[in-house]
Coordinates of all heavy atoms in Angstrom, one line a residue:
M1 N 0.8 -1.2 0.0 CA 0.0 0.0 0.0 C 0.9 1.3 0.0 O 0.4 2.3 -0.5 CB -0.9 0.0 1.2 CG -2.0 -1.1 1.2 SD -3.2 -0.8 0.0 CE -4.3 0.2 0.9
A2 N 2.1 1.2 0.6 CA 2.9 2.4 0.7 C 3.5 2.7 -0.7 O 3.9 3.9 -0.9 CB 4.0 2.1 1.6
F3 N 3.5 1.8 -1.7 CA 4.1 2.0 -3.0 C 3.1 2.4 -4.0 O 3.4 2.3 -5.2 CB 4.9 0.8 -3.4 CG 6.0 0.5 -2.4 CD1 6.0 -0.6 -1.6 CD2 7.1 1.4 -2.4 CE1 7.0 -0.9 -0.7 CE2 8.1 1.1 -1.5 CZ 8.1 0.0 -0.7
M4 N 1.8 2.7 -3.6 CA 0.8 3.1 -4.6 C 1.1 4.4 -5.3 O 1.5 5.4 -4.6 CB -0.6 3.2 -3.9 CG -1.1 1.9 -3.5 SD -2.7 2.0 -2.7 CE -3.6 3.2 -3.5
K5 N 1.0 4.4 -6.6 CA 1.2 5.7 -7.3 C 0.0 6.5 -7.2 O -1.1 6.1 -7.4 CB 1.5 5.3 -8.8 CG 1.8 6.6 -9.6 CD 2.1 6.2 -11.0 CE 2.3 7.4 -11.9 NZ 2.6 7.1 -13.3
R6 N 0.2 7.8 -6.8 CA -1.0 8.7 -6.7 C -1.2 9.4 -8.0 O -0.3 10.0 -8.5 CB -0.7 9.7 -5.6 CG -0.6 8.9 -4.3 CD -0.4 9.9 -3.1 NE -0.2 9.1 -1.9 CZ -0.4 9.6 -0.7 NH1 -0.7 10.8 -0.6 NH2 -0.2 8.8 0.3
V7 N -2.4 9.3 -8.5 CA -2.8 9.9 -9.7 C -3.8 11.0 -9.4 O -4.8 10.7 -8.7 CB -3.3 8.9 -10.7 CG1 -3.7 9.5 -12.0 CG2 -2.3 7.8 -10.9
A8 N -3.7 12.2 -10.0 CA -4.7 13.2 -9.9 C -6.0 12.8 -10.6 O -5.9 12.1 -11.6 CB -4.1 14.5 -10.4
L9 N -7.1 13.3 -10.1 CA -8.4 13.0 -10.7 C -8.6 13.9 -11.9 O -8.1 15.1 -12.0 CB -9.5 13.3 -9.7 CG -9.5 12.4 -8.4 CD1 -10.5 12.9 -7.4 CD2 -9.8 11.0 -8.8
A10 N -9.3 13.4 -12.9 CA -9.7 14.1 -14.0 C -10.8 15.1 -13.6 O -11.5 14.9 -12.7 CB -10.2 13.2 -15.1
P11 N -10.9 16.2 -14.4 CA -12.0 17.2 -14.1 C -13.4 16.6 -14.0 O -14.2 17.0 -13.2 CB -11.9 18.2 -15.2 CG -10.5 18.1 -15.7 CD -10.1 16.7 -15.5
R12 N -13.6 15.7 -14.9 CA -15.0 15.0 -14.9 C -15.2 14.2 -13.6 O -16.3 14.2 -13.1 CB -15.1 14.1 -16.1 CG -16.4 13.4 -16.2 CD -16.5 12.6 -17.5 NE -17.7 11.9 -17.5 CZ -18.1 11.1 -18.5 NH1 -17.3 10.8 -19.5 NH2 -19.3 10.5 -18.5
A13 N -14.2 13.5 -13.2 CA -14.3 12.8 -11.9 C -14.5 13.7 -10.7 O -15.3 13.3 -9.8 CB -13.0 11.9 -11.7
V14 N -13.9 14.9 -10.7 CA -14.1 15.8 -9.7 C -15.5 16.3 -9.6 O -16.2 16.4 -8.6 CB -13.1 17.0 -9.8 CG1 -13.4 18.1 -8.8 CG2 -11.7 16.5 -9.6
R15 N -16.1 16.6 -10.8 CA -17.5 17.0 -10.9 C -18.4 15.9 -10.4 O -19.4 16.2 -9.7 CB -17.8 17.4 -12.3 CG -17.2 18.8 -12.8 CD -17.8 19.2 -14.1 NE -17.7 18.3 -15.2 CZ -16.7 18.2 -16.0 NH1 -15.7 19.0 -15.9 NH2 -16.7 17.3 -17.0
Q16 N -18.1 14.7 -10.8 CA -19.0 13.6 -10.4 C -18.9 13.4 -8.9 O -19.9 13.2 -8.2 CB -18.6 12.3 -11.1 CG -19.0 12.3 -12.6 CD -18.4 11.1 -13.3 OE1 -17.5 10.4 -12.8 NE2 -19.0 10.8 -14.5
L17 N -17.7 13.5 -8.3 CA -17.6 13.4 -6.9 C -18.4 14.5 -6.1 O -19.0 14.2 -5.1 CB -16.1 13.4 -6.4 CG -15.4 12.1 -6.6 CD1 -13.9 12.3 -6.2 CD2 -15.9 11.0 -5.7
R18 N -18.3 15.7 -6.7 CA -19.1 16.8 -6.0 C -20.6 16.5 -6.1 O -21.3 16.8 -5.1 CB -18.7 18.1 -6.7 CG -17.4 18.6 -6.3 CD -17.1 19.9 -6.8 NE -15.9 20.4 -6.2 CZ -15.5 21.7 -6.3 NH1 -16.1 22.5 -7.1 NH2 -14.4 22.0 -5.7
R19 N -21.1 16.0 -7.2 CA -22.5 15.7 -7.3 C -22.9 14.6 -6.4 O -23.9 14.6 -5.7 CB -22.8 15.3 -8.8 CG -22.9 16.5 -9.7 CD -23.4 16.0 -11.1 NE -23.0 17.0 -12.1 CZ -22.2 16.7 -13.1 NH1 -21.9 15.5 -13.4 NH2 -21.9 17.6 -14.0
V20 N -22.1 13.5 -6.4 CA -22.4 12.4 -5.5 C -22.3 12.7 -4.0 O -23.1 12.3 -3.2 CB -21.4 11.2 -5.9 CG1 -21.5 10.1 -4.9 CG2 -21.7 10.7 -7.3
R21 N -21.4 13.7 -3.7 CA -21.3 14.1 -2.3 C -22.6 14.7 -1.8 O -23.0 14.4 -0.7 CB -20.1 15.1 -2.2 CG -19.8 15.5 -0.8 CD -18.7 16.5 -0.8 NE -19.0 17.7 -1.6 CZ -18.2 18.7 -1.7 NH1 -17.1 18.8 -1.1 NH2 -18.5 19.7 -2.5
S22 N -23.2 15.5 -2.6 CA -24.5 16.1 -2.2 C -25.6 15.0 -2.1 O -26.4 15.1 -1.2 CB -24.9 17.2 -3.1 OG -25.1 16.7 -4.4
V23 N -25.6 14.0 -2.9 CA -26.5 12.9 -2.9 C -26.3 12.1 -1.6 O -27.3 11.8 -0.9 CB -26.4 12.0 -4.1 CG1 -27.3 10.8 -4.0 CG2 -26.9 12.8 -5.4
Y24 N -25.1 11.9 -1.2 CA -24.8 11.1 0.0 C -25.2 11.9 1.2 O -25.7 11.4 2.2 CB -23.3 10.8 0.1 CG -22.9 9.7 -0.9 CD1 -21.6 9.7 -1.3 CD2 -23.8 8.8 -1.4 CE1 -21.1 8.7 -2.2 CE2 -23.3 7.9 -2.3 CZ -22.0 7.8 -2.7 OH -21.6 6.9 -3.6
A25 N -25.0 13.2 1.2 CA -25.4 14.1 2.3 C -26.9 14.1 2.5 O -27.4 13.9 3.6 CB -24.9 15.5 2.1
V26 N -27.7 14.2 1.4 CA -29.1 14.1 1.5 C -29.6 12.8 1.9 O -30.5 12.7 2.8 CB -29.8 14.5 0.1 CG1 -31.3 14.3 0.1 CG2 -29.5 16.0 -0.2
G27 N -29.0 11.7 1.4 CA -29.3 10.4 1.9 C -29.1 10.2 3.3 O -29.9 9.5 4.0
A28 N -28.0 10.7 3.8 CA -27.7 10.6 5.3 C -28.7 11.3 6.1 O -29.2 10.9 7.1 CB -26.3 11.1 5.6
L29 N -29.1 12.5 5.7 CA -30.1 13.3 6.4 C -31.5 12.6 6.4 O -32.1 12.6 7.4 CB -30.2 14.7 5.8 CG -29.1 15.6 6.1 CD1 -29.2 17.0 5.3 CD2 -28.9 15.9 7.6
L30 N -31.9 12.1 5.2 CA -33.1 11.4 5.2 C -33.1 10.1 6.0 O -34.1 9.7 6.7 CB -33.5 11.0 3.7 CG -33.9 12.2 2.9 CD1 -34.1 11.8 1.4 CD2 -35.2 12.9 3.4
S31 N -32.0 9.4 6.0 CA -31.8 8.2 6.9 C -31.9 8.6 8.3 O -32.5 7.8 9.1 CB -30.5 7.5 6.6 OG -30.5 7.1 5.2
L32 N -31.3 9.7 8.7 CA -31.3 10.1 10.1 C -32.8 10.5 10.5 O -33.2 10.1 11.6 CB -30.4 11.3 10.3 CG -30.4 11.9 11.7 CD1 -29.8 10.9 12.7 CD2 -29.5 13.2 11.7
L33 N -33.5 11.1 9.6 CA -34.9 11.4 9.9 C -35.7 10.1 10.0 O -36.5 10.0 10.9 CB -35.5 12.3 8.8 CG -37.0 12.6 8.9 CD1 -37.2 13.5 10.1 CD2 -37.4 13.3 7.6
G34 N -35.4 9.2 9.1 CA -36.1 7.9 9.2 C -35.8 7.1 10.5 O -36.6 6.5 11.1
L35 N -34.5 7.2 10.9 CA -34.1 6.6 12.2 C -34.8 7.2 13.4 O -35.3 6.5 14.3 CB -32.6 6.7 12.4 CG -32.0 6.0 13.6 CD1 -32.3 4.5 13.5 CD2 -30.5 6.3 13.7
V36 N -34.9 8.5 13.4 CA -35.6 9.2 14.5 C -37.1 8.8 14.5 O -37.6 8.5 15.6 CB -35.4 10.7 14.4 CG1 -36.4 11.5 15.3 CG2 -34.0 11.1 14.6
L37 N -37.7 8.8 13.4 CA -39.1 8.4 13.3 C -39.4 7.0 13.7 O -40.3 6.6 14.4 CB -39.7 8.8 12.0 CG -39.8 10.2 11.6 CD1 -40.3 10.4 10.1 CD2 -40.7 11.0 12.5
Q38 N -38.5 6.1 13.3 CA -38.6 4.7 13.6 C -38.3 4.4 15.1 O -38.9 3.5 15.6 CB -37.6 3.9 12.7 CG -37.9 2.4 12.7 CD -39.2 2.1 12.1 OE1 -39.7 2.7 11.2 NE2 -39.8 1.0 12.6
M39 N -37.4 5.2 15.7 CA -37.1 5.0 17.1 C -38.3 5.3 17.9 O -38.5 4.7 19.0 CB -35.9 5.9 17.5 CG -34.6 5.4 17.0 SD -34.1 3.8 17.7 CE -33.7 4.3 19.4
E40 N -39.1 6.3 17.5 CA -40.3 6.7 18.2 C -41.4 5.5 18.2 O -42.1 5.3 19.1 CB -41.0 7.9 17.7 CG -40.1 9.2 18.0 CD -40.7 10.4 17.3 OE1 -41.8 10.3 16.7 OE2 -40.2 11.5 17.5
R41 N -41.4 4.9 17.0 CA -42.5 3.9 16.8 C -42.1 2.5 17.4 O -42.8 1.9 18.1 CB -42.7 3.7 15.3 CG -44.0 3.0 15.0 CD -44.4 2.7 13.6 NE -44.0 3.8 12.7 CZ -43.8 3.6 11.4 NH1 -44.0 2.4 10.9 NH2 -43.4 4.6 10.6
D42 N -40.9 2.0 17.0 CA -40.4 0.7 17.5 C -38.9 0.7 17.7 O -38.1 0.3 16.9 CB -40.8 -0.3 16.3 CG -40.4 -1.7 16.7 OD1 -40.4 -2.0 17.9 OD2 -40.2 -2.5 15.8
P43 N -38.5 1.1 18.9 CA -37.1 1.1 19.2 C -36.5 -0.3 19.3 O -37.1 -1.2 20.0 CB -37.0 1.9 20.6 CG -38.3 1.7 21.2 CD -39.3 1.6 20.0
G44 N -35.4 -0.5 18.7 CA -34.8 -1.8 18.8 C -35.3 -2.9 17.8 O -34.9 -4.0 17.8
G45 N -36.2 -2.4 16.9 CA -36.8 -3.4 16.0 C -35.9 -3.6 14.8 O -34.9 -3.0 14.6
R46 N -36.3 -4.5 13.9 CA -35.5 -4.8 12.7 C -35.4 -3.7 11.8 O -34.4 -3.4 11.2 CB -36.1 -6.1 12.0 CG -35.3 -6.5 10.8 CD -35.8 -7.8 10.2 NE -35.5 -8.9 11.1 CZ -35.6 -10.1 10.8 NH1 -36.0 -10.5 9.6 NH2 -35.3 -11.1 11.7
Q47 N -36.5 -3.0 11.6 CA -36.5 -1.8 10.7 C -35.6 -0.7 11.2 O -34.9 0.0 10.4 CB -37.9 -1.3 10.4 CG -38.7 -2.2 9.6 CD -40.1 -1.7 9.4 OE1 -40.5 -0.7 10.0 NE2 -40.9 -2.3 8.5
T48 N -35.6 -0.5 12.5 CA -34.7 0.5 13.1 C -33.2 0.1 12.8 O -32.4 1.0 12.5 CB -34.9 0.6 14.6 OG1 -36.3 0.8 14.8 CG2 -34.1 1.7 15.2
Q49 N -32.9 -1.1 13.0 CA -31.5 -1.6 12.7 C -31.2 -1.4 11.2 O -30.0 -1.0 10.9 CB -31.3 -3.0 13.1 CG -31.5 -3.2 14.6 CD -31.5 -4.7 15.0 OE1 -31.5 -5.6 14.1 NE2 -31.5 -5.0 16.3
L50 N -32.1 -1.7 10.3 CA -31.8 -1.5 8.9 C -31.6 0.0 8.6 O -30.7 0.3 7.8 CB -33.0 -2.0 8.1 CG -32.9 -1.9 6.6 CD1 -31.7 -2.8 6.1 CD2 -34.1 -2.4 5.9
V51 N -32.4 0.9 9.1 CA -32.2 2.3 8.9 C -30.9 2.8 9.4 O -30.2 3.6 8.8 CB -33.4 3.1 9.5 CG1 -33.1 4.6 9.4 CG2 -34.7 2.7 8.7
A52 N -30.5 2.2 10.6 CA -29.2 2.6 11.2 C -28.0 2.2 10.3 O -27.1 2.9 10.1 CB -29.1 2.0 12.6
V53 N -28.2 1.0 9.7 CA -27.1 0.5 8.8 C -27.0 1.4 7.5 O -25.9 1.7 7.1 CB -27.4 -1.0 8.4 CG1 -26.5 -1.4 7.3 CG2 -27.1 -1.9 9.6
I54 N -28.2 1.7 7.0 CA -28.2 2.6 5.8 C -27.6 4.0 6.2 O -26.8 4.5 5.4 CB -29.6 2.7 5.3 CG1 -30.1 1.4 4.7 CG2 -29.7 3.8 4.2 CD1 -31.5 1.3 4.4
L55 N -27.9 4.5 7.3 CA -27.3 5.7 7.8 C -25.8 5.7 7.9 O -25.1 6.5 7.4 CB -27.9 6.2 9.1 CG -27.3 7.4 9.7 CD1 -27.6 8.6 8.9 CD2 -27.9 7.7 11.1
V56 N -25.3 4.6 8.4 CA -23.8 4.4 8.5 C -23.2 4.3 7.2 O -22.1 4.9 6.9 CB -23.5 3.1 9.4 CG1 -22.1 2.8 9.3 CG2 -23.9 3.4 10.8
A57 N -23.9 3.6 6.2 CA -23.3 3.5 4.9 C -23.3 4.9 4.2 O -22.3 5.2 3.6 CB -24.2 2.6 4.1
F58 N -24.3 5.7 4.3 CA -24.3 7.0 3.7 C -23.2 7.9 4.3 O -22.6 8.6 3.6 CB -25.7 7.7 3.8 CG -26.6 7.3 2.7 CD1 -27.8 6.8 2.9 CD2 -26.3 7.6 1.4 CE1 -28.7 6.4 1.9 CE2 -27.1 7.3 0.3 CZ -28.4 6.7 0.6
V59 N -23.1 7.8 5.6 CA -22.1 8.6 6.3 C -20.7 8.2 5.8 O -19.8 9.0 5.6 CB -22.2 8.6 7.8 CG1 -21.0 9.2 8.5 CG2 -23.5 9.3 8.2
A60 N -20.5 6.9 5.7 CA -19.2 6.4 5.3 C -18.9 6.8 3.8 O -17.7 7.3 3.5 CB -19.1 4.9 5.4
L61 N -19.9 6.7 2.9 CA -19.6 7.1 1.6 C -19.4 8.6 1.4 O -18.6 9.1 0.7 CB -20.8 6.7 0.7 CG -21.0 5.2 0.5 CD1 -22.3 4.9 -0.2 CD2 -19.9 4.7 -0.4
F62 N -20.1 9.4 2.2 CA -19.9 10.9 2.3 C -18.5 11.2 2.7 O -17.8 12.0 2.2 CB -21.0 11.5 3.1 CG -20.8 13.0 3.2 CD1 -21.2 13.8 2.2 CD2 -20.2 13.6 4.4 CE1 -21.0 15.2 2.3 CE2 -20.0 15.0 4.4 CZ -20.4 15.8 3.4
G63 N -18.1 10.5 3.8 CA -16.7 10.7 4.3 C -15.6 10.4 3.3 O -14.6 11.1 3.1
L64 N -15.9 9.3 2.6 CA -14.9 8.8 1.5 C -14.8 9.8 0.4 O -13.7 10.2 0.0 CB -15.3 7.4 1.0 CG -14.4 6.9 -0.1 CD1 -13.1 6.5 0.5 CD2 -15.1 5.6 -0.7
T65 N -15.9 10.3 -0.1 CA -15.9 11.3 -1.1 C -15.3 12.6 -0.7 O -14.5 13.3 -1.4 CB -17.3 11.6 -1.7 OG1 -18.1 12.0 -0.7 CG2 -17.8 10.4 -2.4
A66 N -15.5 13.0 0.6 CA -14.9 14.2 1.1 C -13.4 14.1 1.2 O -12.6 15.0 0.9 CB -15.5 14.6 2.5
V67 N -12.9 12.9 1.6 CA -11.5 12.7 1.7 C -10.9 12.7 0.3 O -9.8 13.3 0.1 CB -11.2 11.3 2.4 CG1 -9.8 10.9 2.2 CG2 -11.5 11.4 3.9
Q68 N -11.5 12.1 -0.7 CA -11.0 12.1 -2.0 C -10.9 13.5 -2.6 O -9.9 13.8 -3.2 CB -11.8 11.2 -2.9 CG -11.7 9.7 -2.7 CD -12.6 8.9 -3.6 OE1 -13.6 9.4 -4.1 NE2 -12.2 7.6 -3.8
L69 N -12.0 14.3 -2.4 CA -11.9 15.6 -2.9 C -10.9 16.5 -2.1 O -10.2 17.3 -2.7 CB -13.3 16.3 -2.8 CG -14.3 15.9 -3.8 CD1 -15.7 16.4 -3.4 CD2 -13.9 16.3 -5.2
G70 N -10.7 16.2 -0.9 CA -9.7 17.0 -0.1 C -8.3 16.6 -0.5 O -7.5 17.5 -0.6
R71 N -8.1 15.4 -0.8 CA -6.7 15.0 -1.3 C -6.5 15.6 -2.7 O -5.3 15.9 -3.0 CB -6.6 13.5 -1.3 CG -6.6 12.8 0.0 CD -6.5 11.3 0.0 NE -5.3 10.9 -0.7 CZ -5.1 9.7 -1.2 NH1 -6.1 8.8 -1.1 NH2 -4.0 9.4 -1.7
H72 N -7.5 15.6 -3.5 CA -7.3 16.2 -4.8 C -7.0 17.7 -4.8 O -6.2 18.1 -5.5 CB -8.6 15.9 -5.6 CG -8.6 16.6 -7.0 ND1 -7.8 16.0 -8.0 CD2 -9.1 17.7 -7.5 CE1 -7.9 16.8 -9.1 NE2 -8.7 17.8 -8.8
V73 N -7.7 18.4 -3.9 CA -7.5 19.8 -3.9 C -6.1 20.2 -3.4 O -5.5 21.2 -3.8 CB -8.5 20.5 -3.0 CG1 -8.2 21.9 -2.7 CG2 -9.9 20.4 -3.6
R74 N -5.5 19.3 -2.5 CA -4.2 19.6 -2.0 C -3.0 19.4 -3.0 O -1.9 19.7 -2.7 CB -3.9 18.7 -0.8 CG -4.6 19.3 0.5 CD -4.2 18.5 1.7 NE -5.2 17.4 1.8 CZ -4.9 16.2 2.2 NH1 -3.6 15.9 2.6 NH2 -5.8 15.3 2.3
R75 N -3.3 18.8 -4.1 CA -2.3 18.5 -5.1 C -1.9 19.9 -5.8 O -2.7 20.6 -6.3 CB -2.7 17.5 -6.1 CG -3.1 16.2 -5.5 CD -2.9 15.1 -6.4 NE -3.5 13.9 -5.9 CZ -3.0 13.1 -5.0 NH1 -1.8 13.5 -4.4 NH2 -3.5 12.0 -4.6
N76 N -0.6 20.1 -5.9 CA -0.2 21.3 -6.6 C 0.1 21.1 -8.1 O 0.1 22.1 -8.8 CB 1.1 21.8 -5.9 CG 0.8 22.3 -4.5 OD1 -0.2 22.7 -4.2 ND2 1.8 22.1 -3.6
H77 N 0.4 19.9 -8.5 CA 0.8 19.7 -9.9 C -0.4 19.6 -10.8 O -0.3 19.6 -12.0 CB 1.6 18.4 -10.0 CG 0.9 17.2 -9.7 ND1 0.7 16.8 -8.4 CD2 0.2 16.3 -10.4 CE1 0.0 15.6 -8.4 NE2 -0.3 15.4 -9.6
C78 N -1.6 19.5 -10.3 CA -2.8 19.2 -11.1 C -3.5 20.5 -11.5 O -3.7 21.4 -10.6 CB -3.8 18.3 -10.4 SG -5.3 18.0 -11.3
S79 N -3.8 20.8 -12.7 CA -4.4 22.0 -13.1 C -5.8 22.1 -12.5 O -6.3 23.3 -12.2 CB -4.4 22.1 -14.6 OG -5.3 21.1 -15.2
T80 N -6.5 21.0 -12.4 CA -7.9 21.1 -11.8 C -7.8 21.5 -10.4 O -8.6 22.3 -9.9 CB -8.6 19.7 -12.0 OG1 -8.5 19.3 -13.3 CG2 -10.0 19.8 -11.5
A81 N -6.8 21.0 -9.7 CA -6.6 21.3 -8.3 C -6.3 22.8 -8.1 O -6.8 23.5 -7.2 CB -5.5 20.5 -7.6
K82 N -5.5 23.3 -9.0 CA -5.2 24.8 -9.0 C -6.4 25.6 -9.2 O -6.6 26.7 -8.6 CB -4.1 25.1 -10.0 CG -2.8 24.5 -9.7 CD -1.7 24.8 -10.7 CE -0.4 24.1 -10.5 NZ 0.5 24.3 -11.6
K83 N -7.3 25.2 -10.1 CA -8.5 25.9 -10.4 C -9.5 25.9 -9.2 O -10.3 26.8 -9.0 CB -9.2 25.4 -11.6 CG -8.4 25.6 -12.9 CD -9.1 25.0 -14.1 CE -8.3 25.1 -15.3 NZ -8.9 24.3 -16.4
L84 N -9.5 24.8 -8.4 CA -10.4 24.6 -7.4 C -10.0 25.3 -6.1 O -10.8 25.5 -5.2 CB -10.6 23.1 -7.1 CG -11.4 22.3 -8.2 CD1 -11.4 20.9 -7.8 CD2 -12.8 22.9 -8.4
T85 N -8.7 25.6 -5.9 CA -8.2 26.2 -4.7 C -8.7 27.7 -4.7 O -8.6 28.3 -5.7 CB -6.7 26.1 -4.5 OG1 -6.1 26.7 -5.7 CG2 -6.3 24.7 -4.4
P86 N -9.1 28.2 -3.5 CA -9.5 29.6 -3.5 C -8.3 30.5 -3.6 O -7.3 30.3 -3.0 CB -10.1 29.7 -2.1 CG -9.6 28.5 -1.3 CD -9.3 27.5 -2.3
S87 N -8.5 31.5 -4.4 CA -7.4 32.4 -4.7 C -7.4 33.5 -3.6 O -8.5 33.9 -3.1 CB -7.5 33.1 -6.0 OG -8.7 33.7 -6.2
V88 N -6.3 34.0 -3.2 CA -6.2 35.0 -2.1 C -6.3 36.4 -2.6 O -5.9 36.7 -3.7 CB -4.8 34.8 -1.3 CG1 -4.7 35.8 -0.2 CG2 -4.8 33.4 -0.8

C-alpha cells in the first residue's frame, strides 16, 4: 500500500464526486430522519436496525468522497486542483 502511485483526478471525476457528495449528504439526512421516526415507533426493531445500517453507509460514503476531494485539492501539480483552490 505504501508504494501506490498517486494519480490526480480528471476534471470529470471531480465534478462527479461533487455531485455524488451532495446525494450522499441528502441520503444521510433522510436516513437520520427515518431513524428518529422509527425509534419513536419501534425502538430496537428490525427496521430500526436497517435504517441505522443505511445511515452508517451513507455517512461512510460521504466521508470517503470528502477525503478524495480533499486529497485532490491539496495537489499542486494538477491544473484542476489549482482551479479549485480559493485564490487569495
Side-chain angles (χ1 to χ4, degrees):
M1 293 292 273
F3 299 109
M4 288 178 41
K5 182 179 178 182
R6 296 183 184 200
V7 179
L9 296 171
R12 181 177 179 180
V14 173
R15 285 192 306 271
Q16 287 174 344
L17 279 175
R18 285 186 169 186
R19 286 186 200 123
V20 168
R21 182 180 57 177
S22 63
V23 170
Y24 291 154
V26 170
L29 288 175
L30 289 175
S31 297
L32 182 63
L33 176 66
L35 182 64
V36 168
L37 293 175
Q38 193 64 32
M39 287 293 289
E40 291 177 359
R41 195 180 329 158
D42 182 24
R46 183 175 287 193
Q47 289 180 348
T48 305
Q49 294 172 356
L50 180 64
V51 172
V53 167
I54 292 171
L55 176 63
V56 169
F58 273 122
V59 169
L61 290 170
F62 178 77
L64 180 67
T65 56
V67 166
Q68 286 178 337
L69 283 171
R71 289 177 65 197
H72 175 74
V73 170
R74 281 188 270 143
R75 303 207 187 284
N76 293 329
H77 66 276
C78 178
S79 65
T80 307
K82 290 177 186 175
K83 291 176 188 173
L84 292 176
T85 55
S87 58
V88 179

